[in-house]
Amino acid sequence: MDWLERVAKLRRWTNNDVRAPHKPLLLLYALGSFQRDADGELRYSAVEEELKRLLEEYGPSHPTTPAYPFHHLVSDGVWEVRTDQGAGSPGSGVRVLRSSGATGRLVPELRSALRKEPALLGHLARVLLDFHFPPSLHTDLCEAVGLDLDLVETEGVTGTPGGAERAARRQRDRRMRELVLTAYEFQCAFCGYDGMLGASTVGLEAAHVRWWSYDGPDEVDNGLCLCCLHHKLFDKGVLGLGEGRRILVSQRFVGRSEASRQHVLGLAGRQVIGPQAGIPPAAGRHRRWHAEQVFRGEPREPLSPAHAG
């Protein structure tokens, strides 16, 4: 059985481009659990709060429940659920999962395959990360689910057996970074940082506005040149893009230091720097996707002049 293909084709609920990474998050969590205890089970009542925190941090901005993937991942053939009464999930209701003593874990065939081929776990994790989350979040997400980063650092999806079919249908454009950084004249579109080490840029990255894992194109009008800090905050939903190419800062972000005021809070309402004349800025359709699917909560009002500096 080709487990890479099966994991790559996880059924995920979609509706008007709504982001729903519930199943990938649960499966990453299950892989981390398997890595620590290959024979262990995950009792819903025991892991519910931890799964809820994962969904809050890496899932959609609207409220959601881990009961949904705990039940529905069974249909993808990689996950099984048992209750005090025996095999089978009792449903997707929170109360019934708690009261029935529901436990879940990887199906026996997958557990056996992982024991026979330990490198498979890293390949599966890489498929889940590449297909559902932006690269800036991969390290933090592995740590959050308890995956050993050394094991997960395998070659990319395009180099793994079973991932080739999907990768062949859609590959990243390696020119994206160069085109975006050139368009923004090698400076962060949010803060203007333009560091160089010799003749090379350092700390600057090409950020996708609409994530590549959610059909975001490798095109300049879907990109921003951002420093490492603002790229991470943009992908976590702390920062966003509003009308008039104004920077949004989430009300949910809390920072009391001068550094937070200067590098984050003080950005609220500022206009994006670049791109250079003749190059299209981030397209409205991509900005709207980010605002609806990634940005957290409501935007802050700009700081008053007395607090901005």
Side-chain angles (χ1 to χ4, degrees), residues 17 19 61 190 208-211 222 224 226 230-242 248 283-296:
D17 296 326
R19 191 165 66 90
S61 57
F190 286 177
H208 283 74
V209 180
R210 181 189 179 110
W211 295 353
N222 186 41
L224 287 171
L226 296 177
H230 292 135
H231 188 179
K232 175 66 71 67
L233 296 181
F234 188 66
D235 284 346
K236 288 295 289 284
V238 172
L239 300 176
L241 279 178
L248 306 178
R285 65 186 183 281
H286 301 319
R287 287 192 294 103
R288 287 189 290 273
W289 182 89
H290 186 277
E292 294 168 1
Q293 300 303 320
V294 180
F295 187 72
R296 301 278 172 169

Side-chain angles (χ1 to χ4, degrees), residues 28-243:
L28 281 168
Y29 186 87
L31 290 173
S33 176
F34 179 89
Q35 197 177 50
R36 296 186 299 274
D37 180 7
D39 296 315
E41 293 182 327
L42 298 174
R43 183 170 291 272
Y44 180 80
S45 59
V47 301
E48 180 181 4
E49 289 304 314
E50 195 168 359
L51 291 174
K52 188 181 296 183
R53 283 193 296 271
L54 275 176
L55 283 168
E56 289 172 352
E57 187 166 359
Y58 296 99
S61 57
H62 54 79
T64 188
T65 170
Y68 172 86
F70 204 92
H71 167 74
H72 287 288
L73 187 58
V74 171
S75 65
D76 292 275
V78 296
W79 176 255
E80 65 176 6
V81 175
R82 298 180 62 86
T83 67
D84 294 338
Q85 285 71 48
S89 174
S92 60
V94 171
R95 291 182 179 177
V96 69
L97 285 169
R98 291 173 183 164
S99 63
S100 64
T103 61
R105 62 177 177 173
L106 304 175
V107 295
E109 298 86 353
L110 178 52
R111 299 200 306 273
S112 176
L114 289 169
R115 290 188 180 96
K116 291 178 181 177
E117 186 185 350
L120 177 61
L121 190 147
H123 288 308
L124 292 175
R126 176 56 59 194
V127 167
L128 291 165
L129 292 168
D130 285 348
F131 287 2
H132 300 281
F133 304 96
S136 67
L137 301 184
H138 289 183
T139 298
D140 291 348
L141 185 48
C142 284
E143 292 179 355
V145 300
L147 274 169
D148 185 329
L149 294 177
D150 291 335
L151 182 60
V152 174
E153 289 305 320
T154 59
E155 57 184 312
V157 174
T158 56
T160 58
E165 179 184 343
R166 175 163 178 172
R169 292 198 294 270
R170 185 164 185 260
Q171 293 185 341
R172 291 178 184 269
D173 187 339
R174 296 182 181 274
R175 301 171 301 165
M176 170 78 169
R177 181 179 186 276
E178 179 184 353
L179 292 173
V180 170
L181 266 60
T182 300
Y184 285 84
E185 300 183 287
F186 300 92
Q187 60 180 335
C188 176
F190 286 177
C191 70
Y193 168 82
D194 59 355
M196 303 281 290
L197 182 64
S200 302
T201 60
V202 59
L204 288 173
E205 301 170 348
H208 283 74
V209 180
R210 181 189 179 110
W211 295 353
W212 186 88
S213 53
Y214 281 80
D215 299 321
D218 283 331
E219 297 173 359
V220 173
D221 72 352
N222 186 41
L224 287 171
C225 176
L226 296 177
C227 66
C228 298
L229 171 64
H230 292 135
H231 188 179
K232 175 66 71 67
L233 296 181
F234 188 66
D235 284 346
K236 288 295 289 284
V238 172
L239 300 176
L241 279 178
E243 296 297 330

